Amino acid sequence: FRISASFRPVAMPPLTLEYIKNATGEFDVESVFQAILTERSLSVIEPIGRCCNLRWLDLSKNRITRMEGLSGLAQLVSLDLSFNKIAKVAELDGMPILERLQLQANAITQIQDLEGLKLGQSLKHVNLQNVDSSDFCPVCLQPEYSRTVQRHLPGLVALDSKRLKLPDIDREIRRVDEQSAIDVLEPEPWFSPKDLDLGDLQTYEAIESASQQQIHDFEAAIAECQGALKEAEELLRLQEMTPAN
């Protein structure tokens, strides 16, 4: 098999705003919120900083050698630069709310190449290797690697997918219990002791004797109502018998 002398590898066109819009399907760079630009043979990424509303950027598996052109990404939360050729962490100050940074399989070798992490004070998750230590940057082999990263990023939650501080389960349970606790008022009794105190009325005969006056008044009222009803019925009957004029 013979390669023609006229054969040339197809070069990747430079990253432009038009390319970004075509790759994301957006008509305006300001409406680009997510950009997945993996395996594009990109080496220069400066125009990406014009996407001011970008939240999630994946530039993994390219040919990027420097972290540049990222300072305009003020809304970026997640940045994946794994599997590139980056030798130094830089420009994190232009991404003030960046929480997740992936740099596995890059060329970061020296401890001093991590100094740029100091500017990423919102970072919560940083990866320079996988949890099983695969796809590591050479700097991960340095004995002071983990301690240096934690010193630069005091608010870090996890390094290389390993949590640095496990939560206090007992405290969390107490906090949830306190939040879910409901203050229940003591129920008021339906009857007071006075209501239930019958005094001398402890037998049926005593209750009947004490109720005689009330029973008499009730029966008299019933009789009065019945008499009034009979009178009304008699008036209605007489009115029906009286011929109309």
Side-chain angles (χ1 to χ4, degrees), residues 185-198:
L185 297 176
E186 288 293 330
E188 294 184 0
W190 288 6
F191 301 101
S192 67
K194 183 179 179 181
D195 296 330
L196 299 175
D197 185 10
L198 300 178

Side-chain angles (χ1 to χ4, degrees), residues 12-21 23 37 40 42-49 57 59 64:
M12 175 67 194
L15 186 64
T16 63
L17 294 179
E18 287 301 318
Y19 184 91
I20 294 170
K21 289 190 287 185
L37 302 172
R40 308 288 177 115
L42 299 172
S43 58
V44 179
I45 57 173
E46 286 188 51
I48 201 74
L57 176 59
L59 289 166
I64 302 166

Side-chain angles (χ1 to χ4, degrees), residues 15 24 27 39 73 89 100 187 214 216 239:
L15 186 64
T24 58
F27 294 98
E39 299 182 275
L73 302 177
V89 179
R100 186 177 297 272
Q214 288 85 350
H216 175 74
Q239 186 175 4

Side-chain angles (χ1 to χ4, degrees), residues 163-181:
R163 289 188 68 91
L164 302 178
K165 297 178 181 178
L166 295 177
D168 186 337
I169 301 299
D170 291 336
R171 185 178 64 181
E172 289 299 311
I173 291 175
R174 288 195 300 271
R175 182 180 63 82
V176 172
D177 288 342
E178 290 171 0
Q179 290 179 346
S180 59

